[in-house]
Amino acid sequence: MSSNRSSFTGKIGFVLAAAGSAVGLGNIWRFPYLAAKYGGGIFLLVYIALSLTFGFSLMVAEIAIGRKTQLSPMGAFRALDKRFAFVGVLGAIVPSIILPYYSVIGGWVMKYAYGFITGDAFNMAQDSYFGGFIGQTWEPLVWFALFIGITAIIVLFGVEKGIEKVSKVMMPVLVVLILFIAIFTLCTVDGALDGLIYYIKPDFSKFSIMTVVAAMGQLFYSMSLAMGIMITFGSYMKKDISIEKSTKQIEIFDTGIAFLAGLMIIPAVYAFSGGDPEALGKGPSLMFGALPKIFANMPAGTVIGVVFFVMVFLAALTSSISLMETVVSTIQDKFGIGRKASCFIVLGISIAFGVPSSLGYSAWGGVKILGLQILDFFDFASNNILMPIVAFLTCIFVGYILKPKAITDEVELEGNRLKHKKTFNIMIKYVAPLCILIILISSVLDVFGIVKI
Ligand code: PFF
């Protein structure tokens, strides 16, 4: 994998490719429901603070590790220190857990796009529609199969470049559309302004350790951190491109879209439910319940609904491709098998885990793992347990084994200067590992019901 490494041309190539992986369902579907659930403004504040300090340092470290070694995550850790090779392997397990349930949600998005195209907009705006849809056994499974199938075909034939090009044109359109929907809601829906306040004004009484746990898990997820993706991207990055600047651009892009998605969904949910905490804490179904209602009240709402869901589908697809690509290439590297075989193995694993995630809302509705629905369990296990472990080990590795200087030297190649060197050192060596440890312990205690936080 290390030989013949292609690299991104131009400065913007790297940022766009990394942003294509980063921007996806995490921003549009996951961020708004977490922000709504964990107190609105306070979640937003914690998220932004973490992104500027912690997310920044970790992303710089990962990209620099990749560029320094020119290797895939597993190879990179192994090359730098044999004892840490397992971190690369652990990192590769994360996307294999995410991909199956990500594709279940991707299937829901396809269903909604299809529904708007076939003129089902009125029905979809009804309260019971979404529950009725995921409560069926077969239909969600078919959409899931379609989504994962399309992802696999693209990865198998290696045509992701084409898709990425399409999505890069779509991305700005998506931003404009989200902004338009948000402004429309704020101007026309009664009570939406109260919802806006809920979303942007921090209410410190709503703060708890779980706010930080959720915000940090979301940060990893949204920025595709702690799973080797950024190491892979870094390995393709040219030496004369500024890691610091690129990281900032990716962060602004990723966080900006998440913020706008929250702006589009939270005030609407707040208004429709009169600020009912139960509606706000609804979780994974939040976006699917709220958006069709907004579209129903909008002039040309059906057309906008079609365009919106098709674009979200594309954003999800570029992310699922990069998830699958990582797992496929790791299996190829590790077991020395061909791309095709590896692709089929990953498809098999995804179906094996995706089917239960989907059935968790219907036939297997009674099954709970650690008190969580099956899909929520996979989400929790990857975001709140495995990713913090990988991030913690990465910090320890960079802070104490490799030493931050190795990273800052890499960042400062070709006359680039790392402006926030001090922050970086302190974050990586002390603040980040300590915070992650506290967070990891709290989420384990919480889920096992030892302490309710
Ligand atoms: N960052 C993506 C999102 O926010 O939707 C999810 C993701 C994609 C995570 C690719 C990891 C990854 F490798």
Side-chain angles (χ1 to χ4, degrees):
M1 173 134 191
S2 59
S3 56
N4 272 331
R5 243 182 156 63
S6 54
S7 55
F8 293 108
T9 46
K11 269 190 194 146
I12 202 74
F14 172 78
V15 174
L16 281 182
S21 160
V23 175
L25 294 173
N27 308 62
I28 298 157
W29 157 77
R30 200 171 187 273
F31 180 87
Y33 91 67
L34 287 176
K37 183 169 172 181
Y38 290 101
I42 189 70
F43 181 88
L44 189 63
L45 185 72
V46 172
Y47 184 84
I48 291 174
L50 285 177
S51 141
L52 293 177
T53 50
F54 184 84
F56 172 80
S57 306
L58 208 63
M59 189 178 277
V60 165
E62 288 198 11
I63 296 176
I65 290 177
R67 195 172 73 175
K68 188 176 164 63
T69 57
Q70 303 275 298
L71 290 170
S72 66
M74 239 172 32
F77 278 104
R78 198 187 306 123
L80 294 168
D81 190 315
K82 276 212 172 65
R83 291 168 303 168
F84 276 74
F86 76 98
V87 182
V89 180
L90 219 52
I93 295 177
V94 177
S96 40
I97 299 179
I98 296 181
L99 179 62
Y101 81 80
Y102 200 84
S103 303
V104 171
I105 318 286
W108 296 352
V109 171
M110 284 179 85
K111 156 80 182 173
Y112 272 65
Y114 178 79
F116 274 100
I117 291 171
T118 53
D120 212 11
F122 176 78
N123 281 335
M124 291 196 302
Q126 307 307 313
D127 273 336
S128 56
Y129 186 87
F130 183 70
F133 162 59
I134 56 170
Q136 295 169 34
T137 302
W138 289 104
E139 206 191 335
L141 282 179
V142 171
W143 289 109
F144 157 68
L146 263 176
F147 188 89
I148 190 81
I150 294 174
T151 306
I153 288 171
I154 294 170
V155 172
L156 190 60
F157 291 105
V159 290
E160 46 265 54
K161 288 279 167 313
I163 296 290
E164 273 166 20
K165 267 196 200 120
V166 178
S167 97
K168 257 147 240 168
V169 181
M170 299 279 182
M171 213 63 98
V173 183
L174 184 65
V175 174
V176 173
L177 208 60
I178 294 179
L179 200 59
F180 171 76
I181 299 168
I183 294 173
F184 175 84
T185 308
L186 289 173
C187 295
T188 59
V189 178
D190 267 352
L193 285 177
D194 293 333
L196 175 67
I197 293 172
Y198 174 77
Y199 178 43
I200 56 175
K201 191 171 161 207
D203 175 351
F204 289 91
S205 70
K206 293 210 165 81
F207 179 85
S208 80
I209 281 268
M210 280 319 271
T211 321
V212 189
V213 173
M216 187 167 275
Q218 173 61 14
L219 187 72
F220 294 143
Y221 189 94
S222 188
M223 293 200 193
S224 307
L225 291 172
M227 55 186 109
I229 294 258
M230 287 299 156
I231 298 184
T232 311
F233 276 117
S235 73
Y236 296 123
M237 187 192 209
K238 286 196 172 151
K239 297 273 183 193
D240 59 345
I241 293 177
S242 163
I243 293 183
E244 186 176 22
K245 264 195 213 137
S246 309
T247 300
K248 279 186 186 155
Q249 283 164 356
I250 300 167
E251 278 199 319
I252 292 173
F253 206 64
D254 190 67
T255 308
I257 295 195
F259 172 75
L260 290 178
L263 204 60
M264 163 178 80
I265 292 171
I266 297 174
V269 175
Y270 195 96
F272 295 144
S273 69
D276 175 11
E278 201 180 311
L280 288 163
K282 217 158 183 184
S285 62
L286 196 71
M287 164 175 127
F288 297 94
L291 283 176
K293 286 206 184 74
I294 305 177
F295 295 140
N297 292 317
M298 215 177 225
T302 305
V303 179
I304 293 176
V306 172
V307 181
F308 178 82
F309 278 107
V310 168
M311 296 205 176
V312 175
F313 163 68
L314 281 169
L317 197 60
T318 50
S319 296
S320 68
I321 291 167
S322 80
L323 281 164
M324 192 177 232
E325 182 68 53
T326 325
V327 189
V328 167
S329 64
T330 308
I331 291 184
Q332 257 180 291
D333 273 14
K334 177 102 184 133
F335 301 104
I337 56 172
R339 189 173 173 82
K340 218 181 198 172
S342 176
C343 220
F344 279 111
I345 293 174
V346 178
L347 187 62
I349 299 174
S350 304
I351 293 173
F353 285 103
V355 169
S357 304
S358 180
L359 291 181
Y361 291 97
S362 53
W364 295 0
V367 180
K368 294 268 183 303
I369 311 174
L370 298 173
L372 298 167
Q373 211 132 22
I374 303 173
L375 189 149
D376 288 346
F377 170 75
F378 286 130
D379 190 62
F380 179 86
S382 49
N383 286 275
N384 296 22
I385 308 283
L386 261 180
M387 287 193 205
I389 293 176
V390 175
F392 176 76
L393 292 169
T394 308
C395 291
I396 298 297
F397 178 66
V398 171
Y400 299 94
I401 311 281
L402 187 65
K403 301 278 159 37
K405 188 165 179 313
I407 298 292
T408 51
D409 284 352
E410 178 68 34
V411 176
E412 296 197 322
L413 283 182
E414 307 264 350
N416 286 307
R417 209 168 59 80
L418 177 59
K419 269 197 231 128
H420 304 286
K421 207 187 227 166
K422 252 211 183 117
T423 319
F424 176 79
N425 283 337
I426 297 174
M427 280 314 296
I428 282 288
K429 284 185 87 157
Y430 310 108
V431 183
L434 195 70
C435 287
I436 301 173
L437 210 57
I438 295 174
I439 278 165
L440 196 58
I441 294 171
S442 357
S443 53
V444 170
L445 291 182
D446 186 70
V447 80
F448 285 104
I450 301 169
V451 179
K452 264 286 153 242
I453 316 174

